[in-house]
Amino acid sequence: MATFTTAHGSEPARAGAIIRVTAADGRQGLGETSPLPAFGGGTLADALALIDGLAPQLLGRDLDQAAALLDR
């Protein structure tokens, strides 16, 4: 396995998750989260906890409202 290296340092591995969002009309979107703890980005567990907390707040919102919530 190759080391993940940037100008800020190296990580022996990078953990991430694929996230699927489904709208009420059936449209789906895919995204990902793969934070870099060594660069101040938190852990995968931190990111998943944040997503779990935000998911219920996104239900019933239109795209602009959801984007505004996520921007905060």
Side-chain angles (χ1 to χ4, degrees), residues 8-67:
H8 300 285
S10 297
E11 286 283 322
R14 188 167 185 192
I18 303 294
I19 301 160
R20 181 189 313 256
V21 177
T22 304
D25 64 6
R27 290 178 296 156
Q28 294 186 346
L30 292 176
E32 60 88 24
T33 182
S34 49
L36 295 167
F39 306 144
T43 66
L44 180 57
D46 295 335
L48 294 176
L50 182 60
I51 292 165
D52 282 344
L54 284 173
Q57 297 177 53
L58 296 173
L59 292 175
R61 295 182 188 262
D62 67 28
L63 185 57
D64 289 334
Q65 292 170 331

